[in-house]
Amino acid sequence: MNKTRLLITMAVFVAIGVVGAQFLWFPAGIAKAYPVQHAVNVVSAVTLGPGPAIIIAFMIGSRKKSTWSWDITSISRRDIWSNDCWSFLSKI
């Protein structure tokens, strides 16, 4: 596979993972589970190999973290260091 085709395939996998994570997720305890991202990680590892799959997983994860609905600057230092964790967790 030439480099152009590899990069295009990787970009498509990243796009599918990011868009799929926006629409299909479910709560798993205190975390969120993203089955589309896991499926994209497996399919990319099988089709492209471990190197590109790691890059794809990192790109999907970093893109998801950059598009969270809350901003880290909206949490005050008082909320982080206070004994009342619920005031901190309620803003997340």
Side-chain angles (χ1 to χ4, degrees), residues 12-29:
V12 168
F13 277 133
V14 170
I16 291 170
V18 169
V19 172
Q22 298 287 328
F23 295 114
L24 185 61
W25 60 273
F26 59 90

Side-chain angles (χ1 to χ4, degrees), residues 8-91:
I8 291 172
T9 307
M10 290 171 65
V12 168
F13 277 133
V14 170
I16 291 170
V18 169
V19 172
Q22 298 287 328
F23 295 114
L24 185 61
W25 60 273
F26 59 90
I30 61 171
K32 291 181 182 177
Y34 299 97
V36 175
Q37 181 180 357
H38 296 297
V40 167
N41 289 342
V42 170
V43 171
S44 66
V46 170
T47 58
L48 302 177
I54 291 171
I55 295 170
I56 291 169
F58 178 76
M59 292 298 291
I60 294 171
S62 64
R63 184 66 184 150
K64 274 189 343 189
K65 298 295 183 196
S66 68
T67 58
W68 274 0
S69 62
W70 62 275
D71 186 15
I72 193 69
T73 59
S74 66
I75 300 172
S76 67
R77 189 174 293 172
R78 178 189 56 81
D79 292 332
I80 294 173
W81 295 108
S82 69
N83 291 331
D84 184 15
C85 293
W86 290 111
S87 64
F88 173 70
L89 293 176
S90 66
K91 293 183 179 181

